[in-house]
Amino acid sequence: MGITVPAIHLLKLDKHMNRIYEPNHNKMQKSNRRDLLERRYFSLLKRIARTFVRRRSQWSIGIYTGKSHLSLFPPDNLNNPVLTAKDVTDVPAHFVADPFMICENGTWYMFFEVLNALTLKGEIGLATSDDGFNWNYQAIILDEPFHLSYPYVFKVDDEYYMIPESYEANAIRLYKAVDFPRKWHFVKTLLDGSDYVDNSIFNFHDKWWIFTTSPKGNVLDLYYADDLMGNWIKHPQSPLINGNFNISRPGGRVVVSDEKIFRYTQDVDGFYGNQVRAFEITNLTTTNYEEKQIVDNPIIKASGYGWNKTGMHTIDPHQLDDGKWIACVDGYQIIFVFGMEHQKQIKIMTKANATK
């Protein structure tokens, strides 16, 4: 069925066109003129729609639990997501994603990317919880002139470190908490000269290891070092994976449990961030690398509705004292944003921050 353009709109557009366009009225047939007006009309509508309505991925953070780090589900008594962009109070945020957490003296601390709506740059936010289920946003605790995300936080000899993704700086940068959890200082560049993405670090058999990928997410590289602050060497089998969008990009904390190593990987085939798979590393030395895929894959995936309707791409599991597991995860759905409403929100938050 064809679409009929209201005559009043064509008349208004016709008057506007007469001011900017001078057709030959004597030669132009009426039907051709109407076709031209309709094309101009719909072109104008499309420009208005692109200006005021935008399609955007809305990432949020949830909590999953289970009997194993390979079998995790949303708990029945929890209303996920536990953190959204609306919880961020010190900057206007498009979304929150890439959660990593750590527990200290009975308090859970979660670090995650906050995409600042003013700068369109990722910054690292902090939330806290007494039980791992109910979270309170605190503040932005780390920002740089370049984009930050994927704040992989870990503890070494009573000191806290973080390796946030900083691919725009062409480096893997190590930060140390000088006043945990809010104050972090840059310590050292571990690797530079490339745009390393979603860097995942772990310790195994007295050596440090880092998985990293490219922005495309179809290559998996591995580096190792005898000391965290030491010289990092590229594994001789790198790239471990090349050209596979299903299993290359790191998707969360590497779990070392009972002398077994498990890595999580984002499946970005088709579209970004659709699900997370798991692999068990069966042979890891400075010369060899072997792994096998966990049979029950994916570990987490889109639910088809709600906050994680479209996809999920990061998981950080931790074992509790009772042997069960808890994990922070992220997920997203596609939303349509009306420009005027979002600009109003930004103005309100900017004014509020200016008065602090």
Side-chain angles (χ1 to χ4, degrees):
M1 182 182 294
I3 300 175
T4 301
V5 179
I8 187 171
H9 293 312
L10 291 177
L11 288 173
K12 290 180 179 178
L13 184 60
D14 189 23
K15 292 179 180 179
H16 177 69
M17 287 177 60
N18 285 333
R19 292 194 298 266
I20 62 174
Y21 178 71
E22 296 180 359
N24 188 334
H25 292 281
N26 295 327
K27 295 182 179 180
M28 179 179 288
Q29 296 180 0
K30 184 179 293 185
S31 60
N32 290 340
R33 182 173 180 77
R34 183 177 180 84
D35 289 342
L36 177 61
L37 288 172
E38 286 191 357
R39 289 197 297 270
R40 292 291 181 107
Y41 175 77
F42 285 117
S43 177
L44 179 62
L45 287 182
K46 288 179 181 179
R47 288 200 299 270
I48 292 173
R50 285 194 295 267
T51 301
F52 294 103
V53 182
R54 296 184 183 278
R55 186 174 180 268
R56 196 173 74 219
S57 299
Q58 184 182 61
W59 288 90
S60 303
I61 294 171
I63 294 293
Y64 277 26
T65 57
K67 60 182 180 180
S68 163
H69 60 286
L70 302 174
S71 180
L72 294 159
F73 304 94
D76 295 332
N77 58 345
L78 182 65
N79 185 23
N80 274 318
V82 297
L83 286 171
T84 72
K86 293 180 180 179
D87 294 309
V88 179
T89 55
D90 47 355
V91 299
H94 274 328
F95 62 69
V96 294
D98 291 353
F100 287 88
M101 62 185 184
I102 200 162
C103 189
E104 179 66 24
N105 296 325
T107 300
W108 287 92
Y109 301 91
M110 185 190 296
F111 302 88
F112 48 92
E113 176 193 353
V114 175
L115 184 63
N116 190 317
L118 289 176
T119 63
L120 297 181
K121 178 171 64 73
E123 301 171 352
I124 305 305
L126 167 69
T128 59
S129 173
D130 293 330
D131 57 10
F133 296 98
N134 300 287
W135 292 86
N136 296 304
Y137 178 79
Q138 300 299 318
I140 298 294
I141 53 88
L142 183 62
D143 68 281
E144 293 281 13
F146 42 83
H147 177 84
L148 296 176
S149 61
Y150 204 80
Y152 199 116
V153 60
F154 58 103
K155 187 177 182 180
V156 184
D157 298 331
D158 297 324
E159 300 285 358
Y160 291 96
Y161 294 90
M162 182 191 298
I163 300 179
E165 179 193 283
S166 54
Y167 76 94
E168 287 186 351
N170 284 349
I172 298 180
R173 294 163 56 91
L174 179 68
Y175 292 79
K176 180 179 179 180
V178 294
D179 186 9
F180 184 84
R182 289 177 176 262
K183 193 172 183 180
W184 298 78
H185 279 180
F186 170 68
V187 176
K188 180 180 174 63
T189 295
L190 302 185
L191 290 166
D192 63 4
S194 184
D195 41 7
Y196 308 95
V197 172
D198 292 347
N199 314 298
S200 299
I201 190 170
F202 65 102
N203 187 276
F204 182 71
H205 285 178
D206 297 323
K207 289 190 182 297
W208 287 95
W209 311 81
I210 290 180
F211 287 116
T212 185
T213 189
S214 65
K216 288 184 177 180
N218 64 341
V219 174
L220 181 66
D221 282 313
L222 178 64
Y223 294 82
Y224 67 90
D226 293 328
D227 184 81
L228 179 62
M229 304 292 180
N231 180 42
W232 286 84
I233 302 169
K234 193 170 188 176
H235 195 279
Q237 287 186 224
S238 282
L240 306 178
I241 302 170
N242 192 0
N244 192 327
F245 289 96
N246 298 103
I247 61 174
S248 298
R249 184 166 182 160
R253 187 180 301 275
V254 178
V255 174
V256 180
S257 179
D258 297 327
E259 285 297 298
K260 294 182 178 181
I261 315 167
F262 301 87
R263 76 172 183 93
Y264 296 97
T265 177
Q266 302 177 39
D267 185 340
V268 296
D269 189 20
F271 62 94
Y272 174 69
N274 58 71
Q275 57 189 2
V276 173
R277 301 177 185 272
F279 285 79
E280 180 183 350
I281 301 169
T282 56
N283 185 3
L284 179 63
T285 69
T286 56
T287 56
N288 296 313
Y289 182 91
E290 295 178 14
E291 66 178 20
K292 64 179 181 179
Q293 183 169 264
I294 302 302
V295 175
D296 295 330
N297 264 307
I299 301 300
I300 58 173
K301 62 180 180 178
S303 66
Y305 62 91
W307 69 281
N308 59 347
K309 175 182 178 179
T310 310
M312 305 182 74
H313 80 351
T314 307
I315 183 170
D316 182 17
H318 295 260
Q319 190 169 26
L320 303 174
D321 292 338
D322 61 3
K324 296 180 180 179
W325 289 75
I326 185 172
C328 53
V329 298
D330 63 6
Y332 78 103
Q333 60 179 325
I334 301 297
I335 63 170
F336 292 92
V337 180
F338 295 89
M340 294 299 292
E341 293 181 6
H342 191 64
Q343 289 301 320
K344 182 179 179 181
Q345 175 194 1
I346 292 175
K347 288 180 180 179
I348 292 173
M349 295 194 70
T350 302
K351 183 177 180 181
N353 289 338
T355 58
K356 290 181 179 179

